[in-house]
Amino acid sequence: MSIYDIETKTITGDSQTLAPYKDKVMLIVNTATKCGFANQFEGLQKLHDEFNEQGFAVLGFPCSQFADQELGNDDEIAESCKLNFGVSFPLYAKINVNGSEAHPLFQHLTEEAKGMLGTKAIKWNFTKFLVNRQGEVVKRFGPQETPEKIKAHVEKLL
């Protein structure tokens, strides 16, 4: 199964696959609006704006598995992201990224790009996965790696 075949739900509840992003570079991020790393929303939006016309997209997947830092429903999350952080990049419905109920997308991402010491588990919010135009996961970035530090990796793939 290709990454483009995985079923997702947008933040507004519409079902879709990632097929609209075929032939694009994607940065897929598990987000949380109450997290200490939430200031990265601004940098993620900046990356999205700067490179979107070249075939790049940031995709945000809210998650509350880490210290319950995303307690709102999807409507509240979308509003908070827009009002507090200026987010206009695509957001998806709140999901789990770890455990037996992890979303199939994150099961795929963590299988393809393991973390430190070969672990699959995502350690915290704002873990980022860079996917090339062929749908291959090329790099995993930890929460502390800011969008500014990732920019050069994105440019290489574009």
Side-chain angles (χ1 to χ4, degrees):
M1 178 190 282
S2 156
I3 194 169
Y4 303 114
D5 299 324
I6 299 171
E7 191 78 23
T8 61
K9 274 198 185 208
T10 66
I11 197 93
T12 57
D14 298 323
S15 290
Q16 73 172 52
T17 64
L18 295 182
Y21 301 101
K22 204 171 209 167
D23 299 322
K24 295 186 181 208
V25 174
M26 297 180 280
L27 186 65
I28 300 173
V29 187
N30 67 304
T31 64
T33 56
K34 305 293 184 209
C35 179
F37 290 110
N39 62 343
Q40 290 187 23
F41 274 120
E42 185 180 322
L44 291 168
Q45 183 63 51
K46 197 178 212 180
L47 270 183
H48 182 80
D49 291 345
E50 185 172 349
F51 297 117
N52 187 253
E53 288 184 16
Q54 295 174 49
F56 172 73
V58 172
L59 307 179
F61 287 83
C63 176
S64 194
Q65 284 189 289
F66 307 101
D68 291 328
Q69 294 181 339
E70 191 60 89
L71 293 177
N73 64 37
D74 289 338
D75 290 338
E76 293 166 335
I77 293 166
E79 186 176 344
S80 177
C81 284
K82 185 175 183 178
L83 293 177
N84 297 325
F85 305 105
V87 169
S88 66
F89 59 77
L91 292 171
Y92 290 80
K94 186 162 57 170
I95 60 164
N96 287 333
V97 297
N98 285 329
S100 62
E101 294 185 17
H103 189 280
L105 175 61
F106 278 81
Q107 289 175 18
H108 176 79
L109 293 170
T110 57
E111 181 64 38
E112 296 296 311
K114 294 179 177 59
M116 295 286 283
L117 305 174
T119 62
K120 286 188 199 178
I122 292 176
K123 302 287 188 242
W124 203 254
N125 301 307
F126 289 89
T127 297
K128 303 157 200 76
F129 294 87
L130 188 59
V131 180
N132 67 17
R133 292 182 189 272
Q134 293 74 41
E136 301 162 332
V137 185
V138 295
K139 190 142 176 66
R140 176 178 179 161
F141 300 94
Q144 72 286 355
E145 295 177 87
T146 64
E148 295 76 20
K149 291 180 184 174
I150 295 170
K151 182 178 178 178
H153 296 276
V154 170
E155 288 175 313
K156 256 189 231 178
L157 295 179
L158 293 172

